[in-house]
Amino acid sequence: MGLEKIIRNLLCPDLHHNNIYEVDLEYLKSIGIEGLICDLDNTLLAWNNKIIRPEIEEWIFKVKEAGISVCILSNSLQYRVSKVSNCLDLPAISKAFKPRKRAFKLAMNILEVNPEKIAVIGDQLFTDIYGGNRLDLLTILVEPIAKKELISTKLIRIIERKVKKYLKENQFI
Ligand SMILES: [Mg+2]
């Protein structure tokens, strides 16, 4: 596979939004989505932030109301992830090592929804989107909430920006 094909097949999200609030839940419902695998850092909350703002709770409520079950899938450590999952009353998997398939499959089992009815949402191409695409799940990319993040993530962002530029230039996103 050529590099361009790899980018198009594995790193290109199906949908792209500025943030979670812009996701059209009615549309997801209309195409049969019943489960959502949701990234934590810089998707739901700013990286290393513990404050769960009311709009996040409201959004989760709306997602559930649309008949979509949610499971948090995060590469972060358990103490951080479980705090958020307890607050939002959602199942969660920490230390997921995304884009590895194992944790995605675990989340799919927790959701008890068939793969064709599952969407993945996250802010990173190389973990959330690549992980979801390799399992043929619907993938939704959002822009990161904050600029602050792990140094290793910052380094990956340099390559990510190049891929995003390519995807935008070719009108894939
Ligand atoms: Mg993230």
Side-chain angles (χ1 to χ4, degrees):
M1 231 194 299
L3 186 60
E4 288 191 5
K5 212 171 172 192
I6 291 173
I7 291 173
R8 254 178 286 145
N9 288 348
L10 295 173
L11 294 174
C12 184
D14 296 299
L15 300 167
H16 180 215
H17 294 286
N18 286 318
N19 52 58
I20 51 172
Y21 309 106
E22 280 187 6
V23 175
D24 187 346
L25 298 173
E26 282 305 309
Y27 171 71
L28 293 186
K29 203 174 156 184
S30 76
I31 58 167
I33 296 300
E34 290 176 10
L36 183 67
I37 296 174
C38 189
D39 173 49
L40 177 62
D41 287 305
N42 270 343
T43 297
L44 274 185
L45 300 186
W47 179 72
N48 247 348
N49 195 327
K50 287 187 209 80
I51 304 153
I52 297 168
R53 297 172 39 186
E55 56 259 43
I56 299 168
E57 280 176 277
E58 236 166 75
W59 184 75
I60 295 290
F61 180 77
K62 278 187 196 158
V63 175
K64 286 178 177 173
E65 225 180 21
I68 301 169
S69 314
V70 184
C71 181
I72 294 175
L73 185 64
S74 173
N75 284 352
S76 272
L77 300 175
Q78 203 218 332
Y79 76 93
R80 170 164 163 72
V81 178
S82 59
K83 263 184 199 162
V84 180
S85 80
N86 287 339
C87 261
L88 294 172
D89 194 24
L90 293 174
I93 298 164
S94 52
K95 289 204 280 182
F97 296 106
K98 290 179 279 186
R100 276 170 65 179
K101 288 180 185 174
R102 198 176 149 267
F104 279 94
K105 286 182 179 165
L106 218 61
M108 287 156 81
N109 282 339
I110 289 172
L111 289 169
E112 287 183 311
V113 172
N114 288 338
E116 66 273 15
K117 294 178 179 174
I118 294 180
V120 177
I121 189 162
D123 68 299
Q124 284 195 57
L125 285 182
F126 291 100
T127 55
D128 307 305
I129 304 306
Y130 174 50
N133 281 346
R134 62 202 292 235
L135 287 166
D136 259 331
L137 307 174
L138 185 95
T139 47
I140 308 167
L141 179 72
V142 289
E143 293 302 314
I145 293 174
K147 288 222 159 72
K148 218 174 139 191
E149 46 199 359
L150 283 176
I151 288 289
S152 55
T153 310
K154 280 191 176 178
L155 293 174
I156 293 166
R157 293 277 191 209
I158 296 169
I159 311 167
E160 192 184 73
R161 269 197 291 276
K162 290 195 173 143
V163 176
K164 265 189 179 173
K165 193 169 166 243
Y166 167 84
L167 290 172
K168 276 182 188 155
E169 277 170 3
N170 291 279
Q171 291 173 352
F172 290 120
I173 60 173

